[in-house]
Amino acid sequence: MNEELDYAEMLEIPVSTVNVVKKKSIFKHKPFFAPKEKQQEAPAADDLKDLVVDSVNERVGAYTYTEDLSEPAKPEKKSKFFGKDKGSKIILTELVAVCVLAAAIFLTNIFMPNSAINTFLGTLTGNGQKPEPEPTYNEITLSSVVSEKSDAVVSVSESGVLSFTAKGSVYPVCAGKIASVTKNGETFTVEIAHTSTFTSVITGLTDVYSAKGTSVQANIPFAYSEGEQEVQVSMYDNGTLLNCYTLSGVVPVWNS
């Protein structure tokens, strides 16, 4: 019994019961000096157990050990792609949507420049404004094809072809861009696009100063004539030869 109690005290574990073995003495004796009424009977085995348990628990201290045997709650698995909370998920979703939209706009700008989304975005940014309509050919002021100081005599045929034979610089009838330059034997033929529909064709040129794609101005010569070949200037609208003008000196003027 002492070993069990010593072990309990060492572990500081409260006990609830012990095994008590009471050995009977082979010699019975009674004290001669104590009166019978004052002699105390030895406690019973059950009472002895209780006394021993109480004594041990008093020394160990009232200690109660409880253990939670329930399974711990498993932490919620969180996606690696959606952050730690709902707010992070929303932000990441918006970021993905912005990236997808940017990629769509980039691809449509490349492959479908006239798509509805590009038109809409252009309207928001101010780049989607419709270009101003082109002027018609008779709204354009014409200029002389020769220098004002030239002695060349310029004439116009009934079909509407301007012509002259003289040595000197040659000017376009109005501003435009060189559409083509063609050599025909010793002379050149130049086509100038003034608008998307209005063009002029000049033949009999000795030298051409401007290459294809070059912009030209009415007051700057683009070619030269040695005066050995007749220079002719024809004006067209959508491929139709125009004859609705007259000459004011050497300057062509549209008929009113």
Side-chain angles (χ1 to χ4, degrees):
M1 179 182 70
N2 291 334
E3 293 180 357
E4 293 179 0
L5 294 180
D6 292 340
Y7 184 69
E9 288 180 336
M10 181 179 64
L11 297 180
E12 295 187 352
I13 299 176
V15 296
S16 59
T17 184
V18 294
N19 293 325
V20 177
V21 179
K22 186 178 180 182
K23 297 182 179 180
K24 293 183 178 181
S25 175
I26 56 174
F27 301 102
K28 290 183 181 181
H29 64 276
K30 293 182 181 180
F32 297 100
F33 53 86
K36 290 184 179 181
E37 58 273 15
K38 291 185 179 181
Q39 290 182 4
Q40 296 180 354
E41 297 182 357
D46 293 336
D47 294 337
L48 186 57
K49 283 194 218 177
D50 294 337
L51 293 174
V52 172
V53 169
D54 292 340
S55 176
V56 172
N57 288 338
E58 285 179 1
R59 282 180 287 173
V60 172
Y63 175 85
T64 303
Y65 176 77
T66 59
E67 181 179 1
D68 187 3
L69 299 179
S70 60
E71 295 183 358
K74 295 182 178 180
E76 181 181 355
K77 292 184 178 180
K78 297 179 181 177
S79 174
K80 296 180 180 179
F81 303 98
F82 287 98
K84 298 182 179 180
D85 52 21
K86 186 176 181 181
S88 300
K89 295 180 181 179
I90 294 174
I91 293 174
L92 186 56
T93 302
E94 292 177 351
L95 180 61
V96 171
V98 170
C99 293
V100 171
L101 180 59
I105 294 173
F106 175 75
L107 293 176
T108 54
N109 282 335
I110 295 177
F111 300 107
M112 294 181 292
N114 297 322
S115 64
I117 186 171
N118 284 338
T119 302
F120 173 72
L121 292 175
T123 302
L124 294 179
T125 58
N127 296 328
Q129 297 178 356
K130 293 183 179 180
E132 295 182 1
E134 288 183 329
T136 59
Y137 68 90
N138 55 3
E139 293 176 341
I140 298 174
T141 301
L142 301 176
S143 299
S144 175
V145 294
V146 296
S147 172
E148 295 178 355
K149 298 180 180 181
S150 174
D151 295 332
V153 177
V154 181
S155 63
V156 58
S157 68
E158 292 183 357
S159 61
V161 178
L162 285 169
S163 62
F164 68 92
T165 303
K167 185 177 182 179
S169 298
V170 181
Y171 296 78
V173 293
C174 61
K177 182 178 288 188
I178 303 294
S180 66
V181 178
T182 306
K183 187 174 183 180
N184 302 310
E186 298 297 325
T187 62
F188 292 90
T189 297
V190 176
E191 180 181 6
I192 302 175
H194 305 288
T195 68
S196 60
T197 59
F198 178 44
T199 61
S200 62
V201 176
I202 302 94
T203 63
L205 300 170
T206 305
D207 294 301
V208 178
Y209 308 142
S210 303
K212 179 180 178 180
T214 304
S215 296
V216 294
Q217 302 298 323
N219 59 345
I220 299 176
F222 74 96
Y224 184 81
S225 174
E226 288 287 353
E228 297 178 359
Q229 297 287 339
E230 182 182 50
V231 177
Q232 294 184 341
V233 181
S234 303
M235 291 180 282
Y236 298 87
D237 183 52
N238 280 322
T240 301
L241 181 64
L242 298 174
N243 62 352
C244 53
Y245 63 93
T246 58
L247 287 174
S248 175
V250 291
V251 179
V253 179
W254 300 113
N255 296 335
S256 56

